[in-house]
Amino acid sequence: MKTILIPVDFSSTSNKALEVGVTIAKRIKAKIVLTHMAGVENGLNKEPNTAEEVVFYSRLIGKKFEEFLDRPFLENVEYDTVLKQHLDFGSMNDFAKEIDASLIVMGSNGAKGMTEILKGSNAEKVVRSSEVPVLVVKDNDINFAPERILYASDFHLETVGAYHRIIEAATMLNARIDFLYINLPGKNFKSTSQMDETLLNFFSEVKHPDPVAAIKTVNRYADHTVEKGVMNYASLSAADVIAIPTHGRTGLSHFFQGSISEDIANHSVVPVLTVKM
């Protein structure tokens, strides 16, 4: 049985992540593991330190979980709850691997302003570090029933592994994939023949049965930045999910260069599936 990991802080965004996670679990007959990290929810400013604090905190979180999970849509869904005393969003990957999770589903409000520049949202931190695919959802009225996944990529050979994992995710969700290449102005511009060459090399490398025919399935869209292009095309094509490979940059590399996948996950109202290269 597959396992879906959902980090929760008992907020409305966590509730949205739970709804989406349950929808996926029912589709693929998966188990859900909900984890809460000490001190991340509103109203508690520090992690428990003494034994008495740990006991009090555990009981408090147990009650919060009980209230949070009192929802009719959880009927016939297998789930576990886990309180982690020493876990942060940046190390969520370790716990995901420990429980052999196939997917992390995470709610996000998105970070803005200086917070985004210096720290990023919690969802960004998970996207940055996770080797497990991460589905980021926003607390909005969008009903999660994915039929079309928009896979945006530069189709460089380093994304081959991510491609296969996104294909697996699409199969798991019983959704079809639409491919997207964003053509940029200036030094990054590619002519049609240059794009065709890149795509032919890529589809040959992934062992596509007909690489030449596969080239014709890739939508090409011109914009000033990759993020704008992906977001604009996703809106025009009414994509249900945006899928994108990520480098997972950290430290100064992330600060100065950023990550397109993190920015899209942070700003998109459409659910975003990220897979680390």
Side-chain angles (χ1 to χ4, degrees):
M1 174 179 282
K2 294 183 181 296
T3 300
I4 298 171
L5 174 61
I6 307 177
V8 300
D9 61 3
F10 309 109
S11 64
S12 59
T13 54
S14 288
N15 183 61
K16 183 67 175 184
L18 178 62
E19 291 180 8
V20 171
V22 168
T23 298
I24 297 171
K26 288 180 176 179
R27 277 195 179 197
I28 67 174
K29 296 181 173 57
K31 171 185 175 181
I32 289 176
V33 174
L34 299 105
T35 186
H36 176 77
M37 293 159 286
V40 300
E41 75 287 350
N42 296 330
L44 291 176
N45 297 319
K46 67 182 185 69
E47 296 183 13
N49 293 315
T50 67
E52 291 79 6
E53 286 178 330
V54 171
V55 171
F56 172 78
Y57 190 90
S58 297
R59 289 175 178 172
L60 174 64
I61 298 306
K63 182 170 178 56
K64 281 181 172 287
F65 263 129
E66 185 178 334
E67 294 171 351
F68 184 71
L69 295 171
D70 184 20
R71 306 182 189 279
F73 60 72
L74 277 165
E75 186 177 355
N76 299 322
V77 176
E78 183 180 349
Y79 63 84
D80 285 335
T81 60
V82 179
L83 171 60
K84 300 293 287 187
Q85 301 289 347
H86 303 289
L87 182 69
D88 58 38
F89 289 106
S91 60
M92 188 65 65
N93 179 61
D94 295 333
F95 183 54
K97 290 195 294 185
E98 179 185 324
I99 64 172
D100 194 25
S102 301
L103 179 69
I104 298 173
V105 180
M106 188 155 186
S108 174
N109 283 319
K112 298 178 181 179
M114 287 303 294
T115 301
E116 178 181 1
I117 294 172
L118 297 174
K119 294 172 62 179
S121 70
N122 290 327
E124 282 183 278
K125 296 171 188 174
V126 176
V127 166
R128 196 175 304 158
S129 61
S130 180
E131 297 170 39
V132 177
V134 180
L135 181 66
V136 179
V137 298
K138 301 294 172 58
D139 182 19
N140 51 37
D141 294 329
I142 294 177
N143 183 36
F144 187 80
E147 296 180 357
R148 294 175 54 252
I149 295 176
L150 180 64
Y151 175 46
S153 175
D154 58 12
F155 297 93
H156 288 171
L157 297 185
E158 65 178 339
T159 67
V160 165
Y163 165 87
H164 287 300
R165 298 179 77 183
I166 288 174
I167 293 293
E168 290 174 4
T171 302
M172 181 173 69
L173 294 172
N174 194 28
R176 88 166 194 261
I177 290 184
D178 290 340
F179 297 106
L180 175 65
Y181 179 92
I182 303 298
N183 205 8
L184 300 175
K187 65 178 182 180
N188 293 311
F189 173 81
K190 284 190 176 182
S191 66
T192 297
S193 61
Q194 288 173 320
M195 283 189 284
D196 285 348
E197 181 180 1
T198 296
L199 294 170
L200 180 61
N201 290 338
F202 179 84
F203 285 115
S204 297
E205 183 67 23
V206 299
K207 304 295 191 293
H208 192 283
D210 191 345
V212 175
I215 293 174
K216 299 176 183 178
T217 68
V218 179
N219 299 285
R220 304 162 194 218
Y221 189 82
D223 214 320
H224 294 287
T225 68
V226 173
E227 181 185 351
K228 286 182 180 179
V230 172
M231 304 273 275
N232 288 335
Y233 188 85
S235 178
L236 286 172
S237 63
D240 298 310
V241 176
I242 297 170
I244 191 165
T246 176
H247 284 285
R249 294 190 178 100
T250 58
L252 287 176
S253 173
H254 173 265
F255 185 85
F256 288 115
Q257 300 181 50
S259 168
I260 293 169
S261 57
E262 290 172 30
D263 290 341
I264 292 173
N266 200 25
H267 300 144
S268 174
V269 296
V270 175
V272 176
L273 177 69
T274 67
V275 175
K276 201 168 186 178
M277 291 184 224

